[in-house]
Structure formats: C-alpha cells, structure tokens
Amino acid sequence: MRAEDTPTIRLEDYRPSDWLIDTVDLDVVLAPTSTRVRALLQLRPNPEGRPGAPLVLDGDEIAPVSVALDDRPLDASAYTVSPRALTLPAPPDRPFSLRIETELDPQANTKLMGLYRSSGVYCTQCEADGFRRITYFLDRPDVMSVYTVRLEAEKADAPVLLANGNLVAAGELPGGERHFAVWHDPHPKPAYLFALVGGRLDHVRQPYVTADGRKVELAVYVEPGKADRAGWALDSLVRCMRWDERVFGRNYDLDVFNVVAVSDFNMGAMENKGLNIFNDKYVLADPHTASDGDYASIEAIIAHEYFHNWTGNRITCRDWFQLCLKEGLTVFRDQEFSADERSRPVKRIADVRTLRATQFSEDAGPLAHPVRPRAYTEINNFYTPTVYEKGAEIIRMLKTLIGDEAFARGMDLYFARCDGTAATIEQFLACFAEASGQDLSAFALWYEQAGTPTVTARGRYDAQARRYTLDFTQSTPPTPGQSEKRPLVIAVALGLVGRDGDLPLGGAVPALARDGIFVLDAAEASLSFEGIAEAPTPSLLRGFSAPVRLELDLDDAALLRLFTADSDSFNRWQALQTVATRALVRAGRGEASDAAASAGAIAGALAGFLDGPASDDPAFAAQVLRLPTPADIAREIGAHVDPDRVHAAHRALATAIASALAPSLATLHEALRADGAYSPAAGPAGRRALRNEALGLLALASPEDATARATAQFEAADNLTDRLAALATMTLIPGEAREAMIARFAALYAEEPLVMDKWLLAQALIPEAGTLERVRGLMARPGFSLTNPNRVRALIGGFAANLTQFNRTDGAGYRFVADMAIALDRTNPQVASRLLSSFKSWRMLEPTRQAAARAALSTVAATPGLSRDVADIAARSLA
Ligand code: PHE
Ligand code: ZN
C-alpha cells in the first residue's frame, strides 16, 4: 500500500453513522476453502446522520456474489464495489433490507482476522475491523445490531457449532452427514464482538446460577484430548463471575458462556459476546505443561475477557479512539480481581514491573501516544501498553483521588446510564464527577497527554519549628506531536516514617485530598507538616499511586530505612530497587562508582530480610530478591546507552550480592523444597518463586553448585515451574551441562508446543554472542513455524527482547528482526508490526547502534507492498 492510499483517521472528524443496522441474519455454510456467507441486514437512516447520504459498507479482501435490496436482486448499476467498500450511492430514504452473499476461503486466511482455520477449527476474530472480511458491513463500534446466526457444516468436519448468544435450534440435515445450529444474541452489539466457531472440540462444563438467579451453562472448549487441561480456566471463570457480582454488582446476562481455545491467535484472547475465543496458551493448564506464571495469567485473562461483558460489551466504545474506555477499565478490573485472589502487594509489584518495562519504554520512544490517541492510520497498532496498562493506572488513580465510595457510586452510575450504548471517555468521567462532586476536567488531561511525568521531591526538616516540608515539582518530556506539556493531576500517596513507624500527618491534613493523599496539580508545590518531633523519612507514591517516575533526594541509608520500616509493602520493595537502580545507572553509564559499597549495602539489607521477614511472605520476598533488569537500567539511563556495559554492570552487582548471600541462598533453596503434591495456589507458588530466585542468584555466585542444584531440581521436579527455573538458571552458565539440559527438555516436551515455546524463549534470551546463530538454528527445527504467532513471539520476539544480542554492535540482530518482520508481513501483518515495535527504544542507544537500527528500520520502510500495520510502525519509529 502506498502512503497516499492510507487515510489518517482523526478523533475530531467523528460523526455518527448515516445508517444503522438493526438486525443481522447470517447464514454460514462452513467449508475449508469455500465458506458461503449470506447476510440479511435491516437498515434504516440514522436520525442523527445526514439525510440522503450514500450507504458505504466496509469490506476487506471480499467480493459480493450477489446483492439484493428488499429481496429483489440489485442492478449492478445501483452499487459500486472497490477493494474496501460496497457503495449504494442513492439508497432508499427509508428502512430497507440488503441481502449480500460472499464466499470466503478460511483455509487461506493467514492474517487470522475474519474467518480462519486454526488446526482445523473454524474460528473468527473481528476486533478491531475483521468483520468486514466476512461480509460488507458498517464495521464501526457505534453501529449495534441484534444477530441471529445459522451455521451449517459437515458433522465430521465440525461436530461443534457455536456463535454468540443462546442456542435456539439445532439438528441434522437430510442425509445425516450435515448438521446446523442457530444462535441468537438478544443484546445489540457492534460487529467487532461477533464470533463463530466450528470444529472438533472437547469441552468441560459447569452449571452456574448468577446472584440474580439466572441459570447459566459455562463451558470451555479445547482441542480433542485436552479437556483435562481446561479445569483451571473453568474454575477461574466461576471465581471471577462471583467476584464481579460481589465487587461491581454485575451479573451475567445470557444462558450460556462459552470459552474456546485455539492454537493460532494474534493476541491473548477476545471478549466476543458469550463466546470468548482464546489463544490456547491462556486456557490450557496442568502442572506438567503450565508454570505458576501461566496459571496466574490464565486466571487474569479469563477474568479480563469475562469482565468485558460489562465493560466493553454492554457498554462499548463510540469509536476506536475510546479503546481505553473498555481496555484500561477492564485491565483495572482484572488486576483488582487477581489482587483479591492472591497477594495484593505482590500483584501490585508485578503490575508495576510490567508497566515500567512495557509502557514507560513506549512512552519514552518514537511510538509514544496518548492513552486516547487523536489520530491513527491503523487501529491495530494501538492495542498498546499505553492504552491498556496506563489506561488502568488512570482508573486506579481516579479511585485514589475520589475515594472508594465515590468510585463505586460512579461505576454504578456508569453502568446504569451508559448500558446498551457506545460511550466516550467524557461520558465515563462525567459519572465520577457527578458521583464525587469533583471537577475532573483537569484530571482528564491524563487521556490526552503522552509521556511519563517525572516528579521530584525534596524534604526539609526544621527541628526548632517541628516542621517538615516537602517540595514537589513535576514535568513531562516532549513526545511525538506534543512538544509542550502541561502539569497533570497526580495522586501522591504518602506517609512520614519515624523511628517507631508512621508519624501523624499533623498540620498538612487540610492540604490532603484524603487520608495520606496529596494532589500535585501544578508544576511546583510544597506541603508542610507540623508537630513533627523527629526528622522523618518520607515514603512517597505509596502503592505506586500514579504512573510517574519519582526522583527523591533520599540517600541510600534513608532508603534502606524504608526497606525495613515502611508500612507500605510496595515502597519497602521500591526502596531497595531504588538503591540498586542508582548503583546500576552509575555503573551502566560508565561513571566512577563504588559498586562494591552498593552491593555490600544491598546484601546487608537482604541478609537481615532473608533471616527474618522473608519467611512470612515468600512471594513478596521473591520480588525483593529480584533486581531491576538490565532493560530497566537502560531505560533509566535513557540516552547514549551501551547495552553491553549495562549488562556487565548488572552482572557484576548481582554477582557481588549473590556471593555475599551464597550460604543463605543455598539454605533457602534447600528449605523451600516442596512438601507435597503440586498446587498452583498463591502460597506454594510463592515458595517456589523464592526458591527459584535463590537458585538463579546462586548461578552467579557459584556456578558449579548451581549447576548441580539445577540439574537435580530438573530431574526431581513434578511440575513445569521448577523445570523452567532450572533451565533459566542454566542459561546463565555456558557449557555442556546447559546444552545437556536443553536437549533433555526438548526430549521431554517435544509433543507440547506451548512448553516448547518456553524452551525457545529461554534460548532466545541467552545473553551471549552465539544466540543469533542459535535462534536461526531453532527456526529450522520441524516444530517451528512462522505461521503460528506463539512460535514467532517466543523465538523471534524473545530474541528482540534480548538486550545485548538484539542490540549487537554489528547490527546483525536488528537486520534479523527487520527481515523477519518483512517476511511475516506477507502472511500476518499484525504479528509483523508487533515484532517491529521491538525497535521502540532505539533512539536511546549510543550512536553506532542507533545508526545500525536506523538502517534496519529504513530497509523495512523502503520495502514495497508493506501492510498498513508495518508501514505505520516503521514510519513512526523513524520519524
Ligand atoms: N480485546 C481483546 C482484549 O483485550 C484484545 C484483542 C484485540 C484481541 C484485537 C484480538 C484483536 O481482551
Ligand atoms: Zn481487553
């Protein structure tokens, strides 16, 4: 596609559709290479649209077999067909029906958008604009219709036939070889929530009765023979349904809720009404093929998709600029669910790690964009950490600012007022303004302004006046298209830590929005506390109360005091991370630094911690033991980054700390050995996490001891978590033992593609010069395939996340990833453009690598025939 063919869609150009579609009747006859789709659309002029406007139906890689208006074949002169539209220039000025027949080739659909086949299963993916690959339609989220879908197929090919809503009829066709099913979804919905599935699938199911008394049949469908791996997903579903009833007062609203796992899927999962379709990686679990992390992700994603039923489906988005309306809110909801099911502080730490790694890095580079973008050429490139994770942080901050009760009232108002509509961020915020009585217009800037704000804080203690004063500043760096930034409304949760714990926040109380919440809404502000009897240590941004970078003028000694004495667990964890980050930033920049002193201080703090509080909460202790990653440090350095130097600094510090702690680490590794059968519950998972963190550190301190331990652990393990941890440990220790374990792993799991993905990923991440060759070799193995997104993400995406090897000085890493993006673009543009987004931090590198990265990106940009997806990422990355 040439640039001039690629229109820019702008938020300010939004206008309501000229036409509405009240009902859709689909008749789909499934066949591998020629599926026939007959659509009957009931159209009427939109009272809010332009009278007499033409009807322009979206299409993508389809052609009409026939078109009839009010049941009479439409003369070819009455409509025009272009590659992307079917247009009636002069439609009747009244309600009318259109019958459109199309023919599809699901087998040939490698983009995995629209109707495709995955391991022989027919399935659909319509978000954001895949429905137009099935039939011509007003494919925009503010056109909502009631769907009735008749599916027909050979029984042997597709014994299971599913669509949205409730099953209203099913049966055999004469001859007995074919059958049909009719599904009706009474809830009007946008086309992006349409779904159908047909295929040979096993299932597990469970009846459920909602809090308001509706009987629902829940089912999880998986590949034949894998039903024994579907139990955890079903169990998670039941738990999140109860939680949504209890916490948000939301009940389910159909007679069935189906989840289907497919092995070829571009994203994690999709919230189609009553028929969620999942990447099988986020459904299938048993102790031998899923890690503790997998169990947690399955629980979170099952919940996420289920929660969309209200935040996304019942209330959908007016247009795609409002994507964060459903995604940010639904991520917030799934994070809260996981926090309630597991440990809240540990969940918060994990989420903040992800936010910083994915969103802060996006915000700092050429792909930065506001949570609600103002323009796009390809919407599929905006399913980003900014829209999802930062979108969730904004909701969390809103709750912090207005308080739990007002937040709950605002949610109730939103559900009541916007149910059944396609809404905007303005409508959402209005509910909270009304519920809290607060003016949220300044807060709304979070949706418009890109970039991660930096907040600085300096404390002053006046012993005579018994006054402690905090001086704050905030600033946000320029981002593409936004050079001037305004101050944001930032929630700073804070406390003052004294010798015996938190001090009363005397005198400052009137200046606080709520208990311990200071609202920083100007470029500079000060806050004074009276009656403070001792020089306190400030604990700021407790619970990570705002998605900002915090620079505070505390020395290491003060931070280490917070590590032991802060009442806020998040800040206890953060304090030690900050000490380590500072040391690593200095060393990573090549500044003269006393790394040994920092290592000693951190090790000293950890020694006390491991002997004491660590045992109370092993999952939290595992997070404490885990240093910031080299990528975290590179991001903090921010400019002229030399990844090799950062990596070396990281290795040196980690090795020094591990060496100082070696005996306690060994003791931990022994003491935390499992004492019973595997359970994915948070308790035992936390013990495994701590034990395996200790093992990973031992690899640096004493490679021989760690090799023996890892090898023994690998063989003795009764679960995948411990095997993977052993493998990850060995990736740090080059040599024969490592290669032997890699081979042994492959022999054990050859028949398990999802497990082999972890094996691919572990090798792609090895921080050694031979890794690129290794990756090329792995691509040539029979199990690898460029058409399966999970394989590509594990091996090639994994390599692109390998800080030192993707960023090789000779540019070979960049060229490899660029070539792969170009190759993938021919079959699956979405997977290709996501891979290409791995270049998002290239501008922070030192000049040699920058030049090499630019050259690779330029090669992509200059490739003829690029998809919109890849062309957009390449162009923005280079701009
Ligand atoms: N809407 C999905 C989710 O967040 C993500 C998705 C987007 C899936 C586009 C497929 C295509 O739950
Ligand atoms: Zn979502």
Side-chain angles (χ1 to χ4, degrees):
M1 166 142 341
R2 300 188 316 270
E4 53 269 35
D5 299 333
T6 309
T8 298
I9 320 283
R10 289 177 205 285
L11 172 56
E12 70 215 39
D13 293 342
Y14 173 83
R15 53 182 176 77
S17 176
D18 295 319
W19 291 90
L20 297 175
I21 302 176
D22 289 325
T23 63
V24 180
D25 284 78
L26 285 182
D27 185 346
V28 181
V29 181
L30 292 169
T33 58
S34 64
T35 289
R36 197 213 59 202
V37 178
R38 286 198 184 121
L40 173 62
L41 316 178
Q42 296 294 343
L43 290 120
R44 70 181 155 95
N46 184 356
E48 285 167 35
R50 300 167 305 173
L55 174 66
V56 185
L57 298 176
D58 304 299
D60 179 17
E61 297 188 318
I62 54 174
V65 175
S66 65
V67 184
L69 193 150
D70 286 343
D71 279 328
R72 274 187 301 279
L74 198 58
D75 192 83
S77 65
Y79 66 94
T80 60
V81 179
S82 75
R84 300 193 67 90
L86 188 156
T87 304
L88 275 64
D93 193 12
R94 55 164 172 84
F96 66 93
S97 76
L98 273 186
R99 267 183 206 283
I100 303 173
E101 183 172 335
T102 50
E103 199 178 286
L104 315 176
D105 184 349
Q107 192 106 330
N109 183 355
T110 61
K111 294 185 179 174
L112 314 186
M113 281 288 278
L115 175 68
Y116 65 96
R117 279 193 116 192
S118 172
S119 305
V121 176
Y122 299 93
C123 63
T124 53
Q125 173 52 46
C126 292
E127 188 177 8
D129 48 15
F131 192 70
R132 63 183 68 181
R133 294 167 60 78
I134 296 173
T135 191
Y136 292 97
F137 206 72
L138 296 172
D139 195 359
R140 46 185 290 169
D142 59 349
V143 171
M144 298 163 73
S145 323
V146 170
Y147 286 68
T148 306
V149 180
R150 181 184 180 278
L151 299 172
E152 185 187 317
E154 253 175 48
K155 274 200 298 198
D157 190 29
V160 173
L161 295 172
L162 306 172
N164 313 94
N166 301 318
L167 183 66
V168 293
E172 278 191 5
L173 293 170
E177 289 193 348
R178 302 182 65 75
H179 71 153
F180 73 95
V182 181
W183 292 83
H184 176 74
D185 178 4
H187 300 279
K189 65 169 175 287
Y192 83 86
L193 291 173
F194 167 81
L196 70 80
V197 166
R200 275 186 293 271
L201 296 161
D202 286 350
H203 70 275
V204 294
R205 58 185 171 155
Q206 187 166 325
Y208 180 93
V209 182
T210 63
D212 63 0
R214 176 188 287 270
K215 290 199 179 69
V216 186
E217 190 70 22
L218 312 177
V220 178
Y221 287 81
V222 297
E223 265 178 30
K226 300 209 167 143
D228 55 351
R229 298 188 194 179
W232 176 253
L234 187 58
D235 180 67
S236 301
L237 178 59
V238 170
R239 285 183 283 117
C240 75
M241 289 177 79
R242 284 288 171 240
W243 185 91
D244 210 18
E245 291 167 355
R246 192 160 38 80
V247 178
F248 281 88
R250 297 300 104 200
N251 285 268
Y252 187 60
D253 55 8
L254 287 167
D255 304 336
V256 294
F257 187 81
N258 287 320
V259 169
V260 180
V262 299
S263 50
D264 302 83
F265 201 77
N266 283 344
M267 307 278 277
M270 180 63 210
E271 69 263 25
N272 317 298
K273 182 81 187 188
L275 178 55
N276 288 185
I277 298 182
F278 273 63
N279 185 328
D280 59 0
K281 164 182 165 71
Y282 295 118
V283 171
L284 300 174
D286 69 22
H288 302 285
T289 56
S291 64
D292 292 337
D294 293 326
Y295 277 92
S297 317
I298 291 168
E299 180 180 273
I301 297 179
I302 287 277
H304 179 96
E305 306 311 331
Y306 174 72
F307 294 161
H308 268 314
N309 190 56
W310 274 93
T311 52
N313 302 2
R314 292 286 292 247
I315 306 177
T316 193
C317 303
R318 187 192 72 171
D319 54 69
W320 291 119
F321 296 102
Q322 323 293 330
L323 183 57
C324 59
L325 178 71
K326 73 177 178 82
E327 295 305 347
L329 179 55
T330 304
V331 170
F332 169 75
R333 277 152 53 69
D334 84 55
Q335 290 177 344
E336 286 294 292
F337 168 66
S338 294
D340 282 349
E341 292 288 294
R342 293 159 179 265
S343 151
R344 184 163 281 270
V346 172
K347 174 64 177 161
R348 189 67 186 134
I349 290 167
D351 288 341
V352 172
R353 279 191 198 274
T354 305
L355 179 81
R356 287 174 171 155
T358 64
Q359 201 281 322
F360 280 21
S361 58
E362 181 167 81
D363 239 354
L367 299 182
H369 57 273
V371 171
R372 180 169 65 182
R374 301 189 75 85
Y376 62 79
T377 57
E378 176 49 68
I379 188 57
N380 286 310
N381 286 338
F382 284 86
Y383 289 79
T384 59
T386 296
V387 169
Y388 277 67
E389 305 342 296
K390 188 174 177 179
E393 292 302 321
I394 297 176
I395 309 274
R396 182 177 302 278
M397 197 163 32
L398 175 64
K399 183 169 185 258
T400 303
L401 287 169
I402 67 176
D404 293 357
E405 274 107 65
F407 183 77
R409 284 197 304 275
M411 284 302 306
D412 287 346
L413 187 56
Y414 177 61
F415 289 129
R417 183 185 283 172
C418 297
D419 187 16
T421 72
T424 61
I425 289 296
E426 281 75 9
Q427 289 172 298
F428 174 75
L429 286 180
C431 296
F432 295 91
E434 220 169 293
S436 66
Q438 291 186 31
D439 178 359
L440 297 175
S441 51
F443 180 76
L445 185 59
W446 276 104
Y447 287 99
E448 314 293 336
Q449 187 165 286
T452 307
T454 293
V455 171
T456 70
R458 316 231 168 285
R460 293 179 269 138
Y461 181 58
D462 182 338
Q464 214 142 38
R466 293 159 57 95
R467 179 185 303 127
Y468 184 72
T469 304
L470 279 167
D471 299 319
F472 292 98
T473 71
Q474 64 160 301
S475 65
T476 304
T479 54
Q482 288 184 341
S483 45
E484 302 297 321
K485 301 287 184 179
R486 287 184 282 153
L488 289 151
V489 177
I490 297 173
V492 183
L494 51 76
L496 299 181
V497 180
R499 260 189 312 274
D500 304 313
D502 277 18
L503 304 171
L505 302 181
V509 171
L512 298 180
R514 299 193 314 102
D515 202 16
I517 308 296
F518 175 62
V519 182
L520 174 63
D521 57 4
E524 292 178 13
S526 294
L527 179 64
S528 289
F529 305 85
E530 308 292 341
I532 305 294
E534 55 176 308
T537 308
S539 169
L540 303 177
L541 218 66
R542 282 183 161 174
F544 200 67
S545 57
V548 303
R549 292 180 63 246
L550 177 64
E551 283 177 9
L552 69 182
D553 73 339
L554 295 184
D555 58 16
D556 285 0
L559 286 167
L560 292 174
R561 273 201 299 283
L562 289 181
F563 173 61
T564 49
D566 201 323
S567 62
D568 183 69
S569 325
F570 180 87
N571 270 2
R572 278 208 303 282
W573 169 81
Q574 181 64 59
L576 202 67
Q577 293 286 310
T578 304
V579 175
T581 300
R582 286 179 179 173
L584 287 168
V585 164
R586 286 192 302 270
R589 280 192 180 127
E591 289 168 11
S593 70
D594 194 352
S598 304
I602 296 170
L606 282 174
F609 174 73
L610 291 178
D611 285 346
S615 55
D616 301 344
D617 188 350
F620 177 75
Q623 293 287 1
V624 170
L625 270 195
R626 193 176 308 165
L627 290 179
T629 65
D632 291 330
I633 302 309
R635 196 184 60 244
E636 275 300 309
I637 295 174
H640 302 284
V641 171
D642 175 346
D644 290 324
R645 197 160 61 199
V646 171
H647 185 261
H650 188 270
R651 247 320 147 91
L653 185 78
T655 305
I657 294 171
S659 303
L661 295 174
S664 342
L665 294 171
T667 307
L668 265 186
H669 188 249
E670 276 139 38
L672 289 170
R673 194 166 306 207
D675 52 1
Y678 175 87
S679 152
R687 290 166 59 90
R688 277 187 292 275
L690 179 56
R691 176 168 191 250
N692 287 325
E693 210 59 56
L695 178 61
L697 281 170
L698 276 176
L700 304 177
S702 37
E704 269 172 40
D705 178 36
T707 300
R709 287 175 187 276
T711 309
Q713 173 168 323
F714 188 94
E715 291 309 326
D718 69 344
N719 65 82
L720 185 65
T721 304
D722 288 335
R723 286 227 163 104
L724 276 177
L727 181 67
T729 299
M730 292 309 295
T731 62
L732 304 174
I733 309 173
E736 266 170 40
R738 169 169 86 190
E739 301 311 318
M741 189 182 288
I742 288 173
R744 176 97 174 96
F745 193 105
L748 281 169
Y749 298 106
E751 305 304 316
E752 298 292 349
L754 294 173
V755 182
M756 290 303 281
D757 284 346
K758 299 174 191 303
W759 179 80
L760 295 172
L761 174 64
Q763 295 178 77
L765 290 175
I766 295 176
E768 293 168 19
T771 296
L772 179 54
E773 274 327 297
R774 189 190 285 266
V775 168
R776 286 189 204 279
L778 290 167
M779 280 182 68
R781 283 173 52 97
F784 188 81
S785 158
L786 275 180
T787 64
N788 180 286
N790 287 348
R791 303 302 91 80
V792 171
R793 278 188 287 257
L795 185 58
I796 305 171
F799 177 77
N802 182 327
L803 184 70
T804 57
Q805 301 313 299
F806 174 57
N807 295 301
R808 282 162 58 131
T809 27
D810 65 0
Y814 302 137
R815 284 194 298 278
F816 170 69
V817 174
D819 288 348
M820 286 299 119
I822 293 169
L824 283 162
D825 196 35
R826 291 178 209 123
T827 51
N828 192 330
Q830 283 183 40
V831 170
S833 78
R834 283 197 169 253
L835 179 63
L836 195 64
S837 306
S838 308
F839 282 88
K840 67 175 179 238
S841 299
W842 72 278
R843 286 183 188 278
M844 74 175 182
L845 298 164
E846 51 75 30
T848 306
R849 287 178 174 86
Q850 270 203 31
R854 182 197 299 277
L857 278 168
S858 304
T859 310
V860 177
T863 303
L866 286 182
S867 68
R868 268 206 300 226
D869 310 59
V870 166
D872 170 45
I873 297 291
R876 281 195 282 142
S877 300
L878 284 164

